[in-house]
Amino acid sequence: MIEAENLWKSYGRFQALRGLSFSVPEGSAFAMIGANGAGKTTTIKVLMNMLEPTRGSARLLGVDSRRLSVRELAQVGYVSENQEMPARLTVEEYTAYLRRFYPTWDRELEGAIARQLRLPLERRIGHLSHGMRMKLALLCALPYRPKVLVLDEPFSGLDPLVRDEFMEGLLGQAGEMTILISSHELSEIDGVATDIAFVDEGRVLFQESMADLAKRFREVRVTLAGEAARPSHAPREWMAVQATGNVLTFVDTQFDEREIGERIRARMGDVRVIDSQPMALRSIFITLARAARDGSA
Amino acid sequence: MIWHIFKKDWKLLWGFVLAVAFLHMMGALVQFKLGLFGEEPMLEMLSRWVPELAIFASAFLIAAIVHLDAVPGSRQDWLTRPIPRGGLLMEKLLFAIVMVEGPIFAASLGLSLANGFSWRASLLSTTAWSTFLLFFLVAPILAFASVTKNMAEAFIYGCGGAFVIGSFLILVGSWNALMHGTLLGATHTGLGWVAEVLRLALTAITAGIVLRLQYLRRKTAVARLLLVGLGVVLLVSALVPWKPVFALESKLSANAGAGAKTRMSFDPSEGRFQSPSGVAAPGESDRLRYGRNTADVFLPLRITGVPNDGILMVDQADVHFANESGREVYHGLGESFEVAREGPQPPEEPVYQRIELPMATMRRAQDQPLGVRVEYSLTQFRLSKSYALPAVDGEERMPGWGWCKTKVNDAGTDVELRCMEPGKGPICGTAFLENASSGARNPARSFCLSEYRPFQDHPWPDDLTHLGVNLPFRDATGLAKYPIEGAQLRSSQVVIRVYEPEDHFTRTLTIPAVRLREWEAE
């Protein structure tokens, strides 16, 4: 449905994308996460043919992004935090303008979404708040029931109430859509994404399903008999290793309940208690981001 | 789909469109109210400013049309919509034609009709003018706007471009002055149109390519590079040399060979040029006013072979002075002039070639014997039509010449003749006061232009050509006497003789040795 293969994008000397690759399975809700400047927005703009890649290719609905035609675009919804819409048209005028371009536009659905999002139809787009504009972008992306919905930082700058309304509007219509969502608002993605890719400095560090990710990341707390010290050669899969008193904590990125006790005892000797806790996506992201920043990812 | 986008653009721009249309209508109204004589100072001022303002507003409107769906950038919502790019381009063109050109066309047509010109003449000239504007104003501005993200960017780039062009022109102008007018070749002359046609064609073609590149492929960097390249070519084209252009113009002569009998020779028997009593020699007043450090030399010429009812126009006089050893001491352009043979037995009046020399050259070379070579580019005009209208309060509509009126000026010294014609209008004519019963006539005034472009090329104020000449009948100082004076005006007429260019040719005048000091004005 959506693929990127060895994507490179340069702005002068700055390389925004450096061989980024990923693949979005059909019907999934695929989240691209990464810090600001990691390359998420650039990736999406290349996918939508708003930017041309310097090297590599991206495919949307099986078509090279550089050759997206009216036919493909009529099946793709796009919502972005910095989307520029005609400021002097009203919400109603703009949706009326867009209707004609989509053969599958459902006016009833449009009305339902507008009511659900509580959008002021007669207000000019230029007079809408940021949150309202995001909701308008969503309103303009859903009534034609796109096969693919691309959301670029959709929660950025939204207050909790608007965010909830936005999510309700989105989830209410998600259906069979394939969703690509980029965000650093991890708490929102947590409940939506089925698959995830972690992007850092223009590359995908890993891509996997949320279920697998949640399974393999654990925050481990080891209580030792004596004073704990940071192991000089900690395994690569241990991140954020810290020692306080007789307690050693770390994030195990390859957690296996059957092997963890044995592995720790082999390294640390006399262990009193081993406690492992599942991690929220936000914690996983922060751990990975810090590790990437420190060069140990 | 085009109509659908068109309606959206109208919804967003109708105020701007109406304001610009109003300016064009205002401009036409002012021109109409101004009439042929244009004596109302306020209207006169408005007639200069309103059309310029209207044309600038039109340029901004065109940019605004494009920026509603800007091409460069990666934030525009329309880029992610299934909007056919070719359709969008067509819509932008159509909108510009209807909403920008439409009012211009309507205002111009209305003005022409209001001035009493026929539907056919008005439609023809207005359509030709609008086509010119479409290809060489609207399309290039559309193309330029399509490589900019918004009005601010367009304005900054436009100002930057204007600065570069202005600097180049100042530089080239100064260089040209240093080279005594020989650098710029055909630019700013009647033959400038040859390079201008190439420039306009290049501009139109580049605009087409840029618009296609932008709307169909969004290649902004390439499109910008193309526009910069075009700018460089346009600037360099100002240096197109004279000779090949004049050779081409000669090939286009309506009656090649008609000037074959024309001969030019140096005629020292005419003596030195003498300024009329109390009047500074040509160039003298400029020298006094601007403190120019130059000296004028007047070479007496004998010109034969100009047919009766013919005018010989010097389009360019390329002057070379060389010393005895053959080294060139001066190369520059001499002053252009014309020789008219009008009437049954036209008098042979002395003709002088004025050459403005730098004072340093004059001082250095004035006593040396110098060889002179003057390469003349000439055009012979033939009489094609003749019209007459009463000298006082006359009004005539003359095919090929236009609508003319006469009146006596407020000082009571001149008959003012003012004419207007849709389209390019005539380029050469003479007019004189004549008493039909006595046959007496005052000296003719010529208003010939060394201007051979086959099309109307100015973008404002309108597609009408205005002509005017004052025919003196009384000298307020009392120095000059005229055969036809004030008392005879009521029974006199203004005769207009229309001339058409028939042959462009060259002659070379060679003088083995002259001493410049001997040919300064007395």
Side-chain angles (χ1 to χ4, degrees):
Chain A
M1 214 24 116
I2 304 172
E3 282 173 302
E5 197 178 329
N6 192 28
L7 268 188
W8 290 75
K9 177 67 187 174
S10 306
Y11 299 99
R13 288 185 178 176
F14 174 68
Q15 290 182 322
L17 300 182
R18 300 191 296 173
L20 181 142
S21 301
F22 68 90
S23 170
V24 179
E26 189 170 349
S28 64
F30 189 95
M32 263 202 298
I33 60 169
N36 288 333
K40 305 183 297 292
T41 297
T42 303
T43 304
I44 284 180
K45 288 190 169 174
V46 169
L47 269 172
M48 294 300 297
N49 194 24
M50 298 165 99
L51 289 175
E52 201 173 350
T54 310
R55 262 196 288 159
S57 65
R59 296 175 79 79
L60 193 58
L61 293 163
V63 176
D64 188 305
S65 63
R66 283 164 290 202
R67 292 185 168 71
L68 286 179
S69 68
V70 168
R71 198 164 140 251
E72 286 80 46
L73 288 174
Q75 301 174 70
V76 178
Y78 172 76
V79 177
S80 166
E81 62 168 333
N82 51 26
Q83 214 160 334
E84 287 175 359
M85 290 177 273
R88 278 176 291 146
L89 287 185
T90 64
V91 170
E92 167 59 30
E93 285 169 340
Y94 193 48
T95 49
Y97 172 63
L98 291 179
R99 262 175 232 146
R100 286 283 298 274
F101 297 110
Y102 295 93
T104 56
W105 189 286
D106 182 340
R107 285 198 70 170
E108 280 184 24
L109 179 58
E110 175 202 328
I113 297 168
R115 281 192 296 279
Q116 187 183 0
L117 295 173
R118 285 184 285 179
L119 274 165
L121 298 180
E122 63 296 328
R123 195 178 299 174
R124 286 189 172 189
I125 295 171
H127 295 163
L128 295 177
S129 65
H130 175 69
M132 285 288 188
R133 274 207 299 276
M134 290 302 292
K135 288 201 272 184
L136 171 61
L138 191 65
L139 171 67
C140 295
L142 293 175
Y144 49 95
R145 296 191 166 87
K147 283 186 180 166
V148 172
L149 183 62
V150 179
L151 305 159
D152 183 16
E153 299 283 3
F155 312 111
S156 176
L158 300 188
D159 64 53
L161 183 64
V162 176
R163 204 178 295 182
D164 281 352
E165 287 173 347
F166 184 92
M167 284 306 290
E168 280 166 21
L170 170 63
L171 294 174
Q173 304 303 326
E176 299 297 306
M177 273 189 278
T178 301
I179 300 173
L180 171 64
I181 183 166
S182 88
S183 181
H184 54 265
E185 300 287 340
L186 301 161
S187 52
E188 303 301 338
I189 286 180
D190 223 351
V192 180
T194 58
D195 294 77
I196 197 158
F198 182 74
V199 182
D200 182 60
E201 293 188 348
R203 283 170 300 193
V204 170
L205 295 188
F206 66 83
Q207 170 190 344
E208 67 188 310
S209 73
M210 283 291 280
D212 290 348
L213 189 73
K215 213 184 285 177
R216 77 178 172 91
F217 271 80
R218 281 288 192 282
E219 195 167 12
V220 180
R221 182 185 165 90
V222 181
T223 308
L224 302 169
E227 191 75 7
R230 280 185 66 156
S232 53
H233 296 289
R236 282 196 69 229
E237 60 267 23
W238 288 10
M239 289 181 175
V241 181
Q242 284 184 328
T244 313
N246 62 344
V247 175
L248 181 78
T249 57
F250 61 89
V251 172
D252 190 354
T253 61
Q254 298 295 337
F255 182 77
D256 185 334
E257 199 157 15
R258 290 165 301 181
E259 293 176 1
I260 185 74
E262 199 176 316
R263 282 167 61 209
I264 291 173
R265 281 191 186 92
R267 286 187 176 275
M268 312 303 297
D270 192 5
V271 173
R272 284 189 186 165
V273 183
I274 297 172
D275 180 30
S276 63
Q277 295 293 327
M279 292 174 73
L281 182 61
R282 181 181 174 77
S283 304
I284 295 172
F285 171 75
I286 289 170
T287 304
L288 285 169
R290 281 188 181 147
R293 189 189 61 196
D294 299 340
S296 59
Chain B
M1 209 57 85
I2 291 173
W3 178 235
H4 183 61
I5 307 171
F6 191 99
K7 284 192 289 186
K8 183 263 294 178
D9 283 0
W10 168 251
K11 208 169 273 178
L12 289 168
L13 286 177
W14 65 269
F16 198 172
V17 169
L18 291 183
V20 175
F22 174 76
L23 277 176
H24 284 294
M25 297 301 168
M26 272 288 291
L29 186 66
V30 167
Q31 294 288 343
F32 176 69
K33 285 281 180 195
L34 201 59
L36 278 171
F37 292 101
E39 289 171 324
E40 179 65 50
M42 176 58 84
L43 286 177
E44 170 71 25
M45 191 190 70
L46 286 174
S47 74
R48 273 183 273 126
W49 287 104
V50 175
E52 283 192 26
L53 191 65
I55 213 82
F56 277 108
S58 296
F60 278 99
L61 176 56
I62 294 167
I65 292 166
V66 173
H67 291 144
L68 286 180
D69 303 283
V71 182
S74 58
R75 293 181 166 197
Q76 306 90 305
D77 186 59
W78 78 268
L79 293 174
T80 66
R81 304 287 172 190
I83 298 173
R85 305 287 168 90
L88 187 65
L89 170 59
M90 294 312 293
E91 185 276 336
K92 296 296 172 197
L93 272 171
L94 184 68
F95 198 88
I97 290 170
V98 175
M99 299 300 172
V100 180
E101 283 237 69
I104 296 175
F105 183 90
S108 180
L109 182 67
L111 177 62
S112 191
L113 290 172
N115 280 320
F117 296 106
S118 69
W119 269 96
R120 188 174 178 279
S122 303
L123 268 174
L124 270 176
S125 71
T126 307
T127 305
W129 191 52
S130 297
T131 309
F132 170 81
L133 291 181
L134 172 64
F135 283 103
F136 308 122
L137 187 81
V138 175
I141 295 175
L142 273 175
F144 172 70
S146 78
V147 302
T148 57
K149 286 179 188 167
N150 48 44
M151 196 65 87
E153 198 175 274
F155 186 72
I156 290 167
Y157 286 167
C159 288
F163 176 76
V164 170
I165 292 168
S167 305
F168 179 84
L169 292 180
I170 290 171
L171 192 73
V172 166
S174 308
W175 191 9
N176 187 49
L178 285 175
M179 295 183 69
H180 315 299
T182 55
L183 176 70
L184 282 178
T187 305
H188 307 311
T189 73
L191 301 184
W193 71 270
V194 176
E196 202 172 300
V197 165
L198 291 175
R199 278 196 286 270
L200 293 175
L202 258 181
T203 303
I205 291 167
T206 308
I209 294 172
V210 165
L211 286 172
R212 281 184 65 86
L213 269 179
Q214 282 299 82
Y215 279 91
L216 303 187
R217 300 180 62 189
R218 291 187 71 233
K219 297 278 184 190
T220 301
V222 180
R224 283 179 177 170
L225 213 63
L226 260 177
L227 285 179
V228 170
L230 172 71
V232 171
V233 172
L234 294 187
L235 289 178
V236 172
S237 72
L239 307 176
V240 168
W242 172 270
K243 281 184 180 172
V245 173
F246 191 79
L248 176 68
E249 185 72 54
S250 301
K251 297 250 184 249
L252 299 174
S253 293
N255 184 15
K261 290 181 182 168
T262 303
R263 298 282 180 273
M264 302 179 84
S265 57
F266 179 55
D267 184 10
S269 66
E270 291 287 355
R272 293 170 80 160
F273 177 79
Q274 293 185 325
S275 296
S277 175
V279 180
E284 191 63 29
S285 55
D286 275 1
R287 196 158 36 245
L288 293 172
R289 190 181 306 160
Y290 303 117
R292 283 187 187 161
N293 199 15
T294 57
D296 285 335
V297 168
F298 294 86
L299 299 176
L301 304 179
R302 173 165 297 280
I303 298 175
T304 58
V306 180
N308 276 1
D309 292 327
I311 292 177
L312 182 71
M313 168 84 81
V314 174
D315 296 312
Q316 191 182 77
D318 195 23
V319 180
H320 301 260
F321 286 116
N323 61 17
E324 280 182 311
S325 61
R327 197 175 69 82
E328 192 165 85
V329 296
Y330 175 78
H331 176 212
L333 298 184
E335 187 179 59
S336 293
F337 59 90
E338 66 185 57
V339 176
R341 295 275 181 265
E342 217 164 35
Q345 288 179 321
E348 289 271 342
E349 288 179 3
V351 178
Y352 289 88
Q353 171 64 64
R354 175 178 167 243
I355 301 159
E356 189 179 351
L357 292 167
M359 196 59 88
T361 307
M362 185 69 181
R363 286 199 190 109
R364 205 168 47 243
Q366 61 187 348
D367 295 316
Q368 300 175 30
L370 297 176
V372 183
R373 193 176 88 247
V374 186
E375 292 166 5
Y376 283 104
S377 299
L378 306 163
T379 296
Q380 184 169 293
F381 290 80
R382 67 164 185 273
L383 180 67
S384 68
K385 296 178 200 99
S386 192
Y387 304 105
L389 70 163
V392 182
D393 301 329
E395 180 175 355
E396 290 289 334
R397 289 188 183 272
M398 297 164 274
W401 187 261
W403 170 43
C404 295
K405 276 183 162 183
T406 57
K407 68 169 216 156
V408 176
N409 68 355
D410 292 340
T413 56
D414 295 16
V415 169
E416 292 180 352
L417 169 69
R418 298 289 181 269
C419 303
M420 182 191 286
E421 166 78 347
K424 184 172 177 288
I427 61 164
C428 183
T430 59
F432 52 84
L433 285 168
E434 184 185 63
N435 188 320
S437 51
S438 69
R441 62 164 71 169
N442 283 359
R445 282 287 172 100
S446 151
F447 39 102
C448 289
L449 300 169
S450 173
E451 170 56 83
Y452 311 114
R453 76 189 65 235
F455 52 88
Q456 174 84 305
D457 71 331
H458 60 253
W460 67 82
D462 50 51
D463 66 323
L464 296 170
T465 299
H466 298 257
L467 288 168
V469 68
N470 283 9
L471 304 171
F473 58 85
R474 187 171 72 84
D475 179 13
T477 64
L479 289 172
K481 292 285 176 195
Y482 293 93
I484 296 172
E485 291 190 311
Q488 299 176 57
L489 280 183
R490 288 282 164 197
S491 55
S492 299
Q493 58 184 5
V494 170
V495 176
I496 300 168
R497 290 158 72 89
V498 185
Y499 290 82
E500 299 286 348
E502 61 173 348
D503 192 15
H504 305 276
F505 53 96
T506 57
R507 291 289 180 271
T508 302
L509 170 71
T510 308
I511 310 170
V514 292
R515 285 180 202 278
L516 298 179
R517 182 191 286 278
E518 294 169 8
W519 301 108
E520 277 189 286
E522 275 187 329

